[in-house]
Amino acid sequence: PLLPALEGWRALAMRLAAVLVAVVGLVAVGRHLSCFDAEARDFEGVLAAMQPGRRGLPLIDAKQGACASARTFPYLHFAGYYQAAKGGDLSHSLANVWNIPIRYRSDYQRYPLRDEVEWAPWLVTPEDVRHFDYVLLRGGPPRLPARLGLQPVTRSGAWTLYENPSPLPSELPSP
């Protein structure tokens, strides 16, 4: 509607140009999605090794990948797939976000983990770790410090899953 009315070969040229731009855009988006899909599948290896209903602490040292920008930080939310598929709790959950209607039970006491820890694995302390059954690390060194007392379970791509052999019991009372 903003262009003047075109007829003849000019109309055909405009349509061909629009089709070409659309095809190039779709191919570029398709290639990007395919690349991210292949990179994201690495998470399936650690997800399969995780037991249902546990507490997880995701630590994201590598915010970006070959197909994802650090500005979008999609890997922070991958631990949410564990929570959605197998239950449990995460150190930071969408249940604490103001615009999400799902909330924790009022009698559930969560460990107040500092926000910066998820982005800086070197800040995690033994006190932090004892409140979680799993630590899920993306990127960074393939091993966390021995002082944390974690046992490696599996590694898949950029992801490493650790288990805490002696976590504190959950503070959720029995129904």
Side-chain angles (χ1 to χ4, degrees):
L2 299 178
L3 297 174
L6 300 175
E7 296 178 13
W9 68 269
R10 289 184 178 138
L12 180 61
M14 183 60 77
R15 288 185 186 114
L16 287 175
V19 167
L20 182 63
V21 167
V23 167
V24 167
L26 287 173
V27 167
V29 168
R31 289 182 59 165
H32 184 76
L33 288 174
S34 177
C35 179
F36 181 74
D37 180 61
E39 186 174 88
R41 289 197 185 276
D42 287 345
F43 186 73
E44 292 174 358
V46 295
L47 182 61
M50 298 173 83
Q51 298 299 312
R54 303 279 180 91
R55 294 165 295 168
L57 170 58
L59 301 174
I60 310 300
D61 191 33
K63 297 177 187 175
Q64 66 187 37
C67 309
S69 167
R71 294 181 314 193
T72 60
F73 51 87
Y75 300 110
L76 178 64
H77 304 293
F78 270 50
Y81 288 113
Y82 164 70
Q83 191 176 32
K86 298 187 178 185
D89 194 12
L90 300 174
S91 58
H92 287 95
S93 173
L94 293 176
N96 291 331
V97 178
W98 68 271
N99 62 344
I100 303 294
I102 299 169
R103 296 283 178 232
Y104 286 101
R105 288 175 32 179
S106 61
D107 57 348
Y108 182 46
Q109 301 298 315
R110 301 185 76 236
Y111 177 69
L113 187 72
R114 301 173 319 280
D115 288 337
E116 64 272 11
V117 171
E118 276 187 308
W119 296 109
W122 56 90
L123 295 178
V124 72
T125 66
E127 174 60 25
D128 294 332
V129 168
R130 59 190 233 127
H131 296 274
F132 299 96
D133 301 295
Y134 289 124
V135 173
L136 182 61
L137 176 67
R138 181 173 195 287
R143 292 179 37 154
L144 288 172
R147 67 181 171 80
L148 298 177
L150 298 169
Q151 303 297 319
V153 175
T154 191
R155 184 169 173 88
S156 179
W159 296 96
T160 306
L161 177 65
Y162 296 89
E163 187 169 26
N164 183 356
S166 55
L168 291 176
S170 174
E171 298 177 17
L172 183 61
S174 298

PDB file of all heavy atoms in Angstrom, residues 6 19 49 61 65 72 97 105 107 123 129:
ATOM      1  N   LEU A   6       2.320  -0.507  -9.497  1.00  0.00           N
ATOM      2  CA  LEU A   6       3.253  -0.926 -10.543  1.00  0.00           C
ATOM      3  C   LEU A   6       2.549  -1.874 -11.497  1.00  0.00           C
ATOM      4  O   LEU A   6       1.713  -2.671 -11.092  1.00  0.00           O
ATOM      5  CB  LEU A   6       4.469  -1.627  -9.913  1.00  0.00           C
ATOM      6  CG  LEU A   6       5.299  -0.801  -8.944  1.00  0.00           C
ATOM      7  CD1 LEU A   6       6.383  -1.664  -8.318  1.00  0.00           C
ATOM      8  CD2 LEU A   6       5.927   0.387  -9.653  1.00  0.00           C
ATOM      9  N   VAL A  19      10.049 -12.070  -3.155  1.00  0.00           N
ATOM     10  CA  VAL A  19      10.187 -13.518  -2.979  1.00  0.00           C
ATOM     11  C   VAL A  19      11.624 -13.866  -2.640  1.00  0.00           C
ATOM     12  O   VAL A  19      11.901 -14.683  -1.745  1.00  0.00           O
ATOM     13  CB  VAL A  19       9.695 -14.278  -4.232  1.00  0.00           C
ATOM     14  CG1 VAL A  19      10.119 -15.728  -4.207  1.00  0.00           C
ATOM     15  CG2 VAL A  19       8.186 -14.165  -4.354  1.00  0.00           C
ATOM     16  N   ALA A  49      20.061 -38.687  32.649  1.00  0.00           N
ATOM     17  CA  ALA A  49      20.746 -39.210  33.829  1.00  0.00           C
ATOM     18  C   ALA A  49      20.176 -38.686  35.142  1.00  0.00           C
ATOM     19  O   ALA A  49      20.511 -39.198  36.215  1.00  0.00           O
ATOM     20  CB  ALA A  49      22.234 -38.869  33.752  1.00  0.00           C
ATOM     21  N   ASP A  61      28.462 -21.164  32.964  1.00  0.00           N
ATOM     22  CA  ASP A  61      29.717 -20.459  32.744  1.00  0.00           C
ATOM     23  C   ASP A  61      29.823 -20.022  31.285  1.00  0.00           C
ATOM     24  O   ASP A  61      30.326 -18.953  30.999  1.00  0.00           O
ATOM     25  CB  ASP A  61      30.895 -21.364  33.121  1.00  0.00           C
ATOM     26  CG  ASP A  61      32.198 -20.602  33.173  1.00  0.00           C
ATOM     27  OD1 ASP A  61      32.177 -19.409  33.537  1.00  0.00           O
ATOM     28  OD2 ASP A  61      33.235 -21.191  32.860  1.00  0.00           O
ATOM     29  N   GLY A  65      26.937 -20.139  22.698  1.00  0.00           N
ATOM     30  CA  GLY A  65      27.437 -21.309  21.996  1.00  0.00           C
ATOM     31  C   GLY A  65      27.705 -20.921  20.557  1.00  0.00           C
ATOM     32  O   GLY A  65      27.692 -19.737  20.202  1.00  0.00           O
ATOM     33  N   THR A  72      21.133 -13.443  24.622  1.00  0.00           N
ATOM     34  CA  THR A  72      19.844 -14.119  24.792  1.00  0.00           C
ATOM     35  C   THR A  72      19.867 -15.160  25.906  1.00  0.00           C
ATOM     36  O   THR A  72      18.817 -15.578  26.350  1.00  0.00           O
ATOM     37  CB  THR A  72      19.421 -14.815  23.490  1.00  0.00           C
ATOM     38  OG1 THR A  72      20.417 -15.776  23.124  1.00  0.00           O
ATOM     39  CG2 THR A  72      19.233 -13.808  22.375  1.00  0.00           C
ATOM     40  N   VAL A  97       8.872 -15.413  39.664  1.00  0.00           N
ATOM     41  CA  VAL A  97       8.743 -14.253  38.785  1.00  0.00           C
ATOM     42  C   VAL A  97       7.337 -13.668  38.937  1.00  0.00           C
ATOM     43  O   VAL A  97       6.345 -14.401  38.977  1.00  0.00           O
ATOM     44  CB  VAL A  97       9.026 -14.659  37.315  1.00  0.00           C
ATOM     45  CG1 VAL A  97       8.855 -13.478  36.383  1.00  0.00           C
ATOM     46  CG2 VAL A  97      10.428 -15.242  37.204  1.00  0.00           C
ATOM     47  N   ARG A 105       4.302 -23.612  47.451  1.00  0.00           N
ATOM     48  CA  ARG A 105       3.454 -23.725  48.640  1.00  0.00           C
ATOM     49  C   ARG A 105       4.009 -22.806  49.725  1.00  0.00           C
ATOM     50  O   ARG A 105       5.216 -22.625  49.842  1.00  0.00           O
ATOM     51  CB  ARG A 105       3.453 -25.169  49.149  1.00  0.00           C
ATOM     52  CG  ARG A 105       2.688 -26.101  48.274  1.00  0.00           C
ATOM     53  CD  ARG A 105       2.772 -27.539  48.671  1.00  0.00           C
ATOM     54  NE  ARG A 105       2.895 -27.811  50.097  1.00  0.00           N
ATOM     55  CZ  ARG A 105       2.957 -29.031  50.594  1.00  0.00           C
ATOM     56  NH1 ARG A 105       2.931 -30.084  49.796  1.00  0.00           N
ATOM     57  NH2 ARG A 105       3.066 -29.215  51.881  1.00  0.00           N
ATOM     58  N   ASP A 107       4.319 -23.273  52.801  1.00  0.00           N
ATOM     59  CA  ASP A 107       5.114 -23.954  53.828  1.00  0.00           C
ATOM     60  C   ASP A 107       6.436 -24.511  53.292  1.00  0.00           C
ATOM     61  O   ASP A 107       7.156 -25.201  53.998  1.00  0.00           O
ATOM     62  CB  ASP A 107       4.306 -25.072  54.486  1.00  0.00           C
ATOM     63  CG  ASP A 107       3.798 -26.105  53.492  1.00  0.00           C
ATOM     64  OD1 ASP A 107       3.872 -25.857  52.273  1.00  0.00           O
ATOM     65  OD2 ASP A 107       3.312 -27.159  53.931  1.00  0.00           O
ATOM     66  N   LEU A 123      31.774 -18.794  42.253  1.00  0.00           N
ATOM     67  CA  LEU A 123      31.250 -18.203  43.480  1.00  0.00           C
ATOM     68  C   LEU A 123      30.471 -19.191  44.340  1.00  0.00           C
ATOM     69  O   LEU A 123      30.130 -18.877  45.478  1.00  0.00           O
ATOM     70  CB  LEU A 123      30.341 -17.013  43.150  1.00  0.00           C
ATOM     71  CG  LEU A 123      31.011 -15.817  42.487  1.00  0.00           C
ATOM     72  CD1 LEU A 123      29.969 -14.749  42.170  1.00  0.00           C
ATOM     73  CD2 LEU A 123      32.108 -15.248  43.374  1.00  0.00           C
ATOM     74  N   VAL A 129      25.968 -25.623  47.911  1.00  0.00           N
ATOM     75  CA  VAL A 129      25.821 -26.950  47.308  1.00  0.00           C
ATOM     76  C   VAL A 129      25.049 -27.909  48.197  1.00  0.00           C
ATOM     77  O   VAL A 129      24.279 -28.735  47.713  1.00  0.00           O
ATOM     78  CB  VAL A 129      27.221 -27.515  46.950  1.00  0.00           C
ATOM     79  CG1 VAL A 129      27.148 -28.982  46.602  1.00  0.00           C
ATOM     80  CG2 VAL A 129      27.817 -26.721  45.805  1.00  0.00           C
TER      81      VAL A 129
END
